[in-house]
Amino acid sequence: MRVLPVGEDALLVEVASGADAQALHAELLRRRAEGSLSVREIVPAARTVLLDGLADPARWAAELTGATVPPAPSRTGVAIELAVRYDGPDLADVAAHWGVSAQEVVRIHAATEFRVAFCGFAPGFGYLTGLPPRYDVPRRATPRTAVPAGSVALAGPYTGVYPRSSPGGWQLIGTTRAVLWDHARVPAALLTPGTRVRFVAVDGAGAA
């Protein structure tokens, strides 16, 4: 674990893996909930966690450097279900990369329970983990200039859903009508770090 100062009251903690980042994020949330950590924001990423608004960053830098972090606990509560029409233009390419049929891609993806590891790229975009490493897929060699909102996509170890139309190089395997970002909702993001997510295959147009 490597702890770096960021400005006057923030720390960036670098860890070895995505699983370590999720575990550290969960532990810091636990400490904040019990009152032993006073911090404004705790923001996970692929292999880092940012603590912003610390009252005593030097103290926490020393404590975190030697800390032993337990594995992330199993997520409790009901998983968010996203209805998906598996009609993406890259579904056949993903099937070929996996060495299975398109129908088997759908079965594998819909049978997996995902967890939001972190958010980024665009408001409401969550990076979801859960597929075994053998199902990692590369990004497209040529990104699309416009990916439709609601596109369910794969890249590397992650699944994501585009909350709005934007350029993108992920492999598109399906579509959903779920609203990923809504300013009138609290929180505005449907998918937040730690949230459990399941994709449900439907025949018609996807819906939340």
Side-chain angles (χ1 to χ4, degrees), residues 78-84 86 107-115 128 191 195-201:
V78 178
I80 289 177
E81 293 189 348
L82 302 180
V84 177
Y86 285 93
R107 188 198 68 76
I108 292 169
H109 194 261
T112 301
E113 181 171 289
F114 293 86
R115 181 186 180 112
L128 281 61
L191 306 181
T195 302
R196 296 166 56 212
V197 181
R198 297 196 72 97
F199 294 92
V200 180

Side-chain angles (χ1 to χ4, degrees), residues 26 54 115 136 185-186 197-198:
L54 287 165
R115 181 186 180 112
D136 288 8
R185 184 172 56 202
V186 179
V197 181
R198 297 196 72 97

Side-chain angles (χ1 to χ4, degrees), residues 24-139:
L24 177 60
H25 178 239
E27 173 64 10
L28 293 172
L29 289 177
R30 184 193 67 78
R31 293 191 185 193
R32 183 168 68 177
E34 72 177 14
S36 63
L37 170 62
S38 176
V39 63
R40 184 169 57 247
E41 289 190 79
I42 304 172
V43 185
R47 290 185 177 86
T48 63
V49 179
L50 175 70
L51 292 88
D52 189 23
L54 287 165
D56 190 353
R59 173 206 158 193
W60 280 103
E63 182 166 335
L64 290 170
T65 298
T68 299
V69 179
S74 298
R75 188 74 175 182
T76 58
V78 178
I80 289 177
E81 293 189 348
L82 302 180
V84 177
R85 184 174 63 185
Y86 285 93
D87 59 354
D90 301 322
L91 183 60
D93 290 341
V94 171
H97 186 78
W98 286 6
V100 301
S101 67
Q103 291 79 7
E104 184 67 1
V105 171
V106 174
R107 188 198 68 76
I108 292 169
H109 194 261
T112 301
E113 181 171 289
F114 293 86
R115 181 186 180 112
V116 182
F118 58 97
C119 298
F121 171 63
F125 189 95
Y127 290 76
L128 281 61
T129 57
L131 288 171
R134 65 180 179 277
Y135 296 128
D136 288 8
V137 297
R139 286 172 169 78

